[in-house]
Amino acid sequence: MSDLYLEVNLHNLYYNISRLKQIIDKNTLIMAVVKSNAYGHGSVEISKALKDDVDYLGVGFLEEGVLLRQNKVELPILLMGPTINFEVAYINDITLSITSVEQLEQLVSWTNINEKIIKFHLKVDTGMNRFGIKEDDLEIVSRIYDNSKYAKLEGVYSHFATTYKNNKSYVIKQKNLFDKYVEYFRNRYNDLIYHLANSENAIDFKDAHYDMVRIGNALYGPSNSKTRIGLKDIGKLKARVIYSRKVKTGEYIGYGNSYRAKKDMIVGTIPFGFYEGMGLMKKPIGSKFLSYLIYYLKEIYRYLFRTKTIVYYKGQPLDVLGKPNMQYTIIDMSHINQKNKDDILVQVRVSPIFIKESVERKYVTEV
Ligand SMILES: *Cc1c(COP(=O)(O)O)cnc(C)c1O
């Protein structure tokens, strides 16, 4: 039995997708975004688990798509970032995103020379300014595309820079701009897939659904949307206490004498340190002032008291003593009512995104 693993509950994954399907029309396609190793949960297993529930998979890097194909994942895959490695995309049947005029020229020329069909979606910029074709480029884009025999335009999309919850007016502005692109392409080409919304905006802003929604974080746990739809975390980090000992009042614990026992206590060590992702926290991004305030107050509290109650045993919080080490963390087990304290599994609340890939992912299906 391993002493450290991320337990991924596929039952909760199916539960989340069923909740999402209650707010997404039957004829709207669903893309599961499985970039960054499915937000840390394991992209191959998550993609396979979702094979009958979603229509498309989304990845950020070409290598992530290749990994899925090597592991016999068959769903269509959209690479959402740019690449000019057309050969690899072709061999692995990965749909590309075209994000600039130059990249489109290169794609058309490669496919024409090699006489190979590659499908692509055009990524248009509506205000994020990361990747994407601008409105001014539309005429030249159609001109280049109309000369293409083998590159096939399948969809047009854009990405929100913020959420309906946090900045409604910017989201609406982006949607209105997207509508202009939609109109432009609908007048020229048939049957394209238009898509715009990520998790939060798919949940809160139905008008942004178009033909497909791209769902990332909502698959894996509660999303930061305004409307709560009862999503559940699917990943839990479990660590076994591999060693425990008694410590007397006044003794120091850990590196740098950073903690001194105020009373006799029992401490335990778990094999999870900052190398594996211990102590990393997600900051609220693009959130309201209040969430920032709460976040920083918590940070100050943690700094002052040097405690991080993010380790739990049967729902009971356990203090982290001193600073986490490279591979170990020491926790206070004085209050645990159990004889053999060495064989206890605790849960560490940490975002799976931060958990090193070397930590085993265990898939369970029970409730
Ligand atoms: C990551 C990503 C998503 C998914 O975002 P969530 O907010 O996690 O749902 C959708 N679209 C693009 C282009 C992305 O990069």
Side-chain angles (χ1 to χ4, degrees), residues 193-209:
I193 304 170
Y194 296 95
H195 48 113
L196 180 59
N198 64 326
S199 299
E200 282 92 345
N201 293 319
I203 295 170
D204 285 334
F205 190 26
K206 207 160 189 273
D207 286 350
H209 284 194

Side-chain angles (χ1 to χ4, degrees), residues 2 60 88 130 142 199 222 281 302 336:
S2 27
V88 170
R130 184 172 59 177
S142 344
S199 299
M281 308 285 260
R302 280 192 203 107
I336 292 184

Side-chain angles (χ1 to χ4, degrees), residues 31-36 39 58-60 78 80-81 97 123 128 130-131 157-160 163 195-202 213-220 223:
M31 172 186 292
V33 177
V34 294
K35 68 187 179 198
S36 307
Y39 293 45
V59 297
L78 177 69
M80 301 186 294
S97 287
K123 194 167 198 172
M128 169 105 175
R130 184 172 59 177
F131 311 118
Y157 76 108
S158 189
H159 192 41
F160 282 121
T163 60
H195 48 113
L196 180 59
N198 64 326
S199 299
E200 282 92 345
N201 293 319
V213 289
R214 303 187 304 269
I215 306 292
N217 68 70
L219 292 172
Y220 311 111
S223 188

Side-chain angles (χ1 to χ4, degrees), residues 170-338:
Y170 200 74
V171 164
I172 290 174
K173 197 171 149 197
Q174 282 193 272
K175 184 202 175 274
N176 290 342
L177 183 51
F178 189 65
D179 283 332
K180 287 200 195 168
Y181 288 101
V182 174
E183 192 190 327
Y184 180 89
F185 286 98
R186 279 213 177 117
N187 284 334
R188 282 166 184 78
Y189 312 104
N190 293 327
D191 301 326
L192 298 184
I193 304 170
Y194 296 95
H195 48 113
L196 180 59
N198 64 326
S199 299
E200 282 92 345
N201 293 319
I203 295 170
D204 285 334
F205 190 26
K206 207 160 189 273
D207 286 350
H209 284 194
Y210 296 90
D211 303 314
M212 179 158 79
V213 289
R214 303 187 304 269
I215 306 292
N217 68 70
L219 292 172
Y220 311 111
S223 188
N224 193 23
S225 55
K226 186 162 188 218
T227 325
R228 310 308 288 177
I229 57 167
L231 302 170
K232 296 178 182 172
D233 277 321
I234 75 163
K236 276 191 187 144
L237 188 90
K238 303 263 175 100
R240 194 174 302 280
V241 175
I242 52 170
Y243 185 73
S244 73
R245 69 185 308 153
K246 289 189 177 126
V247 171
K248 291 214 175 75
T249 314
E251 288 184 334
Y252 291 103
I253 296 169
Y255 283 127
N257 291 354
S258 55
Y259 187 88
R260 189 175 191 194
K262 288 178 209 68
K263 52 183 177 2
D264 289 355
M265 56 201 306
I266 299 170
V267 304
T269 299
I270 53 171
F272 183 55
F274 58 78
Y275 177 75
E276 287 85 13
M278 176 70 186
L280 294 174
M281 308 285 260
K282 270 203 282 191
K283 274 194 197 174
I285 38 163
S287 291
K288 290 249 164 71
F289 174 71
L290 190 63
S291 1
Y292 270 103
L293 187 68
I294 292 170
Y295 174 80
Y296 284 111
L297 287 177
K298 278 188 188 161
E299 282 292 289
I300 292 167
Y301 177 84
R302 280 192 203 107
Y303 177 76
L304 290 178
F305 299 99
R306 289 209 175 94
T307 59
K308 287 192 176 176
T309 49
I310 56 165
V311 179
Y312 292 81
Y313 176 66
K314 293 190 174 163
Q316 176 190 349
L318 307 178
D319 282 345
V320 169
L321 306 175
K323 296 191 189 88
N325 310 159
M326 179 94 105
Q327 296 179 307
Y328 298 114
T329 297
I330 303 171
I331 54 177
D332 184 4
M333 305 186 59
S334 309
H335 307 291
I336 292 184
N337 255 338
Q338 184 139 337

